[in-house]
Amino acid sequence: MLVNGVQFQTETLPLLASARAARQEAESPDGKPMTAIIQFVFFILGGLLSLLWWAIVISAILSWLVAFDVINRRNTAVYQVLDFLDRVTGPVLRPFQRVIPSLGGVDISPIIVLLIISGVQNYLLPALRGTLISLVG
């Protein structure tokens, strides 16, 4: 069979049709593939920020449980979870912990970081996505 001047065997036509359908699904409703890519990138960024938000919340709760001796840090499973969460949240929290003093032994830097992450997710990412989409076309 001849499609767009190219000879295809009949069994490759379903593959060509499925590839064409996948390409059309990847394009945004206005038919611009760059818009779909921008939306996907911002979807991934929002998801990563949500995961970081939850990691900070879980890390704070577990640190309270360790401080009140509810869970034992010598347990290998607990230690591995706490170590993983510290490695994930530490690089984000440490700059704020250096600047913000603890208030009577209470570290409020996770609250500040959670507010910043929420602000970025709710205000900066949508505004930036809209600006980039309007620049593309």
Side-chain angles (χ1 to χ4, degrees):
M1 175 170 263
L2 191 66
V3 176
N4 292 337
V6 178
Q7 182 69 29
F8 287 101
Q9 297 176 359
T10 52
E11 58 268 356
T12 60
L13 286 179
L15 294 175
L16 184 63
S18 66
R20 187 175 295 133
R23 182 173 166 238
Q24 288 172 349
E25 287 177 14
E27 291 181 350
S28 65
D30 58 355
K32 296 180 179 150
M34 194 63 170
T35 304
I37 292 170
I38 291 171
Q39 290 175 344
F40 177 73
V41 167
F42 279 92
F43 171 75
I44 296 296
L45 285 174
L48 289 174
L49 285 174
S50 293
L51 287 174
L52 180 62
W53 193 90
W54 280 108
I56 291 172
V57 168
I58 293 169
S59 177
I61 291 170
L62 287 178
S63 72
W64 294 336
L65 292 175
V66 167
F68 292 121
D69 218 10
V70 175
I71 57 175
N72 191 353
R73 195 175 189 129
R74 283 179 248 135
N75 184 341
T76 56
V78 172
Y79 177 77
Q80 288 176 348
V81 169
L82 288 172
D83 186 50
F84 170 76
L85 288 173
D86 186 48
R87 288 175 189 243
V88 170
T89 61
V92 177
L93 291 175
R94 279 192 202 103
F96 292 95
Q97 289 169 343
R98 277 186 249 139
V99 174
I100 301 169
S102 64
L103 302 174
V106 177
D107 184 19
I108 63 167
S109 62
I111 297 170
I112 303 299
V113 172
L114 290 176
L115 288 173
I116 291 171
I117 290 173
S118 296
V120 167
Q121 280 183 312
N122 294 327
Y123 298 108
L124 290 181
L125 284 183
L128 186 58
R129 180 177 55 222
T131 303
L132 285 175
I133 289 173
S134 66
L135 286 176
V136 169

